Amino acid sequence: MSAVIHLQALGLTEYEARAYTALLALGRAVPARVARQAGIPRPKIYETLERLEGRGLAAKMGQNPLEYAPLSAREYLARARRSFDDRLGALDRDLSRLAPDPAPEAVYHLYGEAAIRSLCEDLTLNARRSLFMAGEATFAGELERLTPRGVQLRRTLLTGLPSIAAEGQRAFLLTRDGEAALIAHFIDEDGIGQAHGVHTHNPVIIHLIEGYVNLASREAGSA
């Protein structure tokens, strides 16, 4: 059951996840019925339900007979989301102290189409203000669908301009928010070698790419 797997990913044991989903299905039940529904050995069900109670996911309902009822799944998800956000915030602060932002002049080399595509997707999803992209129409279309709402997108083909890729290669350009840029060369199906590119925060390179994309847009519009 996918819900059990997702609950385990949030920190529940398999028995806890199975017992909780069983309680959600039953609404309110004695431990023996929960055990049957969840496929948990009878000797394990009491301690499992007590752990769920400790997590705020179940509550005892009377003593004769002893029954358990599930507490709100929505409340649990809200708590889990707050906890996860807190952990991400703490990790971000710790990593920032360990590794400061890269110097603007740094240029990072990329190898392999999967790595390039993954970085392009990350840059697109994290855009706040603007995206400039040119080349590889199919891939640009995929990125356009990932573009957050409200982000200004300028997208064009690299036609009518001097080529910036070698024969057998297809160029792709991307900038995000005037802060990050990527230049990639994809390889044709019958080409030799692997896709490669560079990623940088250098403002001069970013400005050059955005100017090239604007020029390509004007050339395409006048064609």
Side-chain angles (χ1 to χ4, degrees), residues 4-222:
V4 170
I5 295 172
H6 294 318
L7 286 168
Q8 286 180 261
L10 290 176
L12 272 66
T13 68
E14 181 182 357
Y15 280 174
E16 289 169 353
R18 284 160 58 179
Y20 184 58
T21 55
L23 277 175
L24 289 173
L26 295 170
R28 175 173 174 169
V30 297
R33 190 178 177 201
V34 178
R36 288 195 301 273
Q37 177 82 8
I40 297 173
R42 285 278 292 273
K44 294 288 187 180
I45 192 61
Y46 289 95
E47 63 184 79
T48 300
L49 289 170
E50 286 176 2
R51 289 199 302 270
L52 284 180
E53 187 178 19
R55 288 181 179 274
L57 288 172
K60 290 188 181 78
M61 305 294 288
Q63 293 291 336
N64 191 22
L66 174 63
E67 292 183 314
Y68 280 84
L71 296 181
S72 170
R74 190 177 299 276
E75 288 296 327
Y76 174 70
L77 290 175
R79 289 199 306 274
R81 186 174 292 111
R82 287 195 298 270
S83 176
F84 187 72
D85 288 343
D86 290 343
R87 288 174 183 268
L88 279 181
L91 177 61
D92 183 42
R93 291 190 295 272
D94 290 343
L95 292 179
S96 296
R97 286 194 291 268
L98 290 171
D101 289 337
E105 64 272 12
V107 175
Y108 303 94
H109 293 271
L110 302 167
Y111 298 98
E113 187 166 329
I116 293 170
R117 287 176 174 271
S118 178
L119 181 55
C120 287
E121 290 171 1
D122 287 344
L123 290 172
T124 301
L125 288 167
N126 290 323
R128 303 181 307 277
R129 299 185 302 276
S130 65
L131 285 167
F132 286 71
M133 63 180 74
E136 276 295 280
T138 301
F139 184 42
E142 295 173 5
L143 295 179
E144 182 172 354
R145 288 189 287 274
L146 297 177
T147 301
R149 183 175 299 177
V151 171
Q152 291 184 335
L153 171 64
R154 171 152 291 188
R155 170 189 163 193
T156 186
L157 298 173
L158 289 173
T159 54
L161 295 175
S163 176
I164 58 174
E167 186 176 352
Q169 300 179 2
R170 306 181 312 281
F172 187 77
L173 308 175
L174 174 67
T175 71
R176 186 214 69 206
D177 296 331
E179 299 171 350
L182 178 142
I183 304 172
H185 290 167
F186 294 109
I187 306 299
D188 291 339
E189 274 190 35
D190 54 352
I192 300 174
Q194 66 172 334
H196 56 278
V198 293
H199 169 50
T200 185
H201 296 269
N202 189 305
V204 174
I205 296 177
I206 294 168
H207 182 70
L208 284 172
I209 292 175
E210 291 181 352
Y212 202 79
V213 172
N214 283 330
L215 180 59
S217 296
R218 289 196 293 272
E219 289 290 328
S222 62

